[in-house]
Amino acid sequence: MQATRVAVVGGGLGGLTAAALLARGGCEVTLYERAKHFGGRAQTADVEGFRFNLGPHALYRGGAAMRVLGGLGVKPKGGIPGGTGTYALRAGRLHTLPRGPVSLMTTDVLTLAGKLELARLLAGLPRLDAGALARTSTREWLDTRLSREDTRAFVGALTRVSSYCADHDAMSAEVAVSQLQYALAANVLYVDGGWSTLVDALEARAREAGAKLETSMRVESVVFHEPAPGARVRGLRLADGTVHEADVVVLAGGPDDVAALVPGDAVLAKEASEAVPVMAASLELGMSRLPRPEALFALGVDGPWYASVHSASARLAPEGGAMVHVMKYLGGTDTGASEAELEAVMDVLQPGWRAHVVAKRFRPTLRVNHLLPSAKSGGLSGRPTARVPHVEGLYRVGDWVGPEGMLADASFASAESVARALLVSEQVEPRRAVGA
Ligand SMILES: Cc1cc2nc3c(=O)[nH]c(=O)nc-3n(C[C@H](O)[C@H](O)[C@H](O)COP(=O)(O)OP(=O)(O)OC[C@H]3O[C@@H](n4cnc5c(N)ncnc54)[C@H](O)[C@@H]3O)c2cc1C
């Protein structure tokens, strides 16, 4: 039987995963990435020996990324953060971060009534049906579920750190609850060497399975057998004008990229124009040493800030040094941050830090997630489906696609769902089972 020819556009985590799974399943896969390197937003820069991810990156240990990577034989190495040295940041001061019964008793970030309310919420959280809250906003959920302002502020902070979203008026409570469930059940992993190690492993798996992977190759558009909507895809037109013939096309960029690749498609253009992204400001610091080695994490309770010494859990800094991520979650009317605002967080966590800076990188706006799943659009299930329903042979993959997970988990889950759909519907004879 002739192998299904699949062309993938985009060599981030989603595109590489789709390529690896489909090539393993017997498809003839070619992937095009316009940048010089694979990885997209999962890139890691080496600055003076410090491994800078593009802002703070953590893998949810119970999420789709770990499941799919495991299925491909990739076992991310690293460390689990959050032992000692974790603080809540409020009114410019550090407070004990409630993480268990003892810290909950001793912290002064909550009143006694607030502590009891928090304990009740967390005890019932694993049994909450997140899907039932898809059309409820996070703000509405916090307001109706919690009676105390201090508890709401604290749970709001936990929600920000587990979802990366600060716009609680828009965000579906399904996202808030499911991300809290993931974070509390199995925590996260900071990856040794940074997320580019995941990219390298996926690239290797895809090549081993026979996929052809090209960098520095921008795809211009999808081409069709018929020009009208409803037609079946014929392949891709590359920036150099050549046409790559394919039976199936998988688009693994953002909603804007997808709309640009199918010009004139009103449905895809509308989806792109309606997609509100999740944004953040990021400060990355490589330091010769920490002035307060015992202070490793701060979470803003009265503001959307985060600071974490990632090198305390994973290998990301030269011997004796420290790699710190500071971030502000953006959203709603709060659309930016100055470098000084993020530095002020470090002034509280690590007073005197400036004297020890070896490398520094500030990014005022980074696109964390292409789409904020809103209550208005029906939460996670309201996101666009992996299969483009009105175009035969056209699929998409990314952190804005499909009903499972947020952030990279959604990219992995959507790649997996495309592979499942194709390996069944195209009746490809598997060379090796997907996920084996
Ligand atoms: C600050 C920050 C913090 C984050 N923290 C976390 C975290 O803690 N946990 C987590 O799970 N996720 C996190 N993420 C999100 C995570 O990085 C992304 O969800 C994931 O990397 C997305 O992968 P992707 O392959 O879907 O998309 P991308 O990485 O965006 O890849 C898409 C690729 O498609 C290529 N492309 C697009 N159009 C074309 C074209 N026409 N021709 C050729 N190539 C094209 C692009 O160049 C790009 O490389 C974070 C992101 C940021 C920015």
Side-chain angles (χ1 to χ4, degrees), residues 10 13-14 33-34 41 54 56-58 164 219 252 399 407-408 411:
L13 294 174
E33 165 56 52
R34 67 185 164 198
R41 282 169 288 155
L54 198 57
H57 273 71
Y164 279 74
V219 176
D399 57 16
L407 306 156
S411 296

Side-chain angles (χ1 to χ4, degrees), residues 186-210:
N187 206 338
V188 295
L189 187 81
Y190 292 169
V191 178
D192 284 345
W195 275 38
S196 66
T197 61
L198 307 178
V199 174
D200 294 346
L202 286 170
E203 179 189 347
R205 292 298 184 277
R207 288 195 197 277
E208 279 158 26

Side-chain angles (χ1 to χ4, degrees), residues 249-433:
V249 166
V250 180
L251 304 179
D256 288 340
D257 298 319
V258 167
L261 286 163
V262 193
D265 187 303
V267 176
L268 298 178
K270 184 166 179 285
E271 274 174 8
S273 71
E274 288 173 354
V276 174
V278 177
M279 307 294 289
S282 155
L283 176 67
E284 286 131 34
L285 297 169
M287 301 183 50
S288 54
R289 70 174 183 87
L290 292 173
R292 290 186 62 210
E294 75 288 357
L296 300 176
F297 179 85
L299 178 65
V301 173
D302 56 355
W305 303 291
Y306 159 105
S308 179
V309 181
H310 279 230
S311 58
S313 310
R315 270 189 263 144
L316 294 160
E319 199 58 40
M323 214 290 294
V324 187
H325 280 290
V326 188
M327 189 171 64
K328 181 179 179 189
Y329 306 98
L330 304 176
T333 51
D334 199 356
T335 55
S338 66
E339 195 167 345
E341 186 178 349
L342 297 189
E343 289 179 348
V345 177
M346 277 299 277
D347 289 336
V348 182
L349 186 68
Q350 292 285 341
W353 62 275
R354 285 179 178 79
H356 308 287
V357 173
V358 178
K360 190 179 184 198
R361 198 167 72 162
F362 173 63
R363 311 262 183 158
T365 50
L366 284 174
R367 185 171 290 233
V368 178
N369 209 301
H370 277 304
L371 186 148
L372 166 67
S374 67
K376 212 167 100 192
S377 64
L380 296 173
S381 306
R383 291 192 298 209
T385 53
R387 189 171 94 74
V388 178
H390 61 288
V391 184
E392 220 186 318
L394 189 61
Y395 293 81
R396 56 202 155 182
V397 155
D399 57 16
W400 55 288
V401 176
E404 187 186 349
M406 279 288 288
L407 306 156
D409 282 327
S411 296
F412 280 97
S414 53
E416 181 186 52
S417 77
V418 168
R420 279 217 184 98
L422 283 175
L423 299 180
V424 173
S425 76
E426 304 287 326
Q427 296 182 334
V428 175
E429 195 60 38
R431 279 205 291 256
R432 261 177 284 174

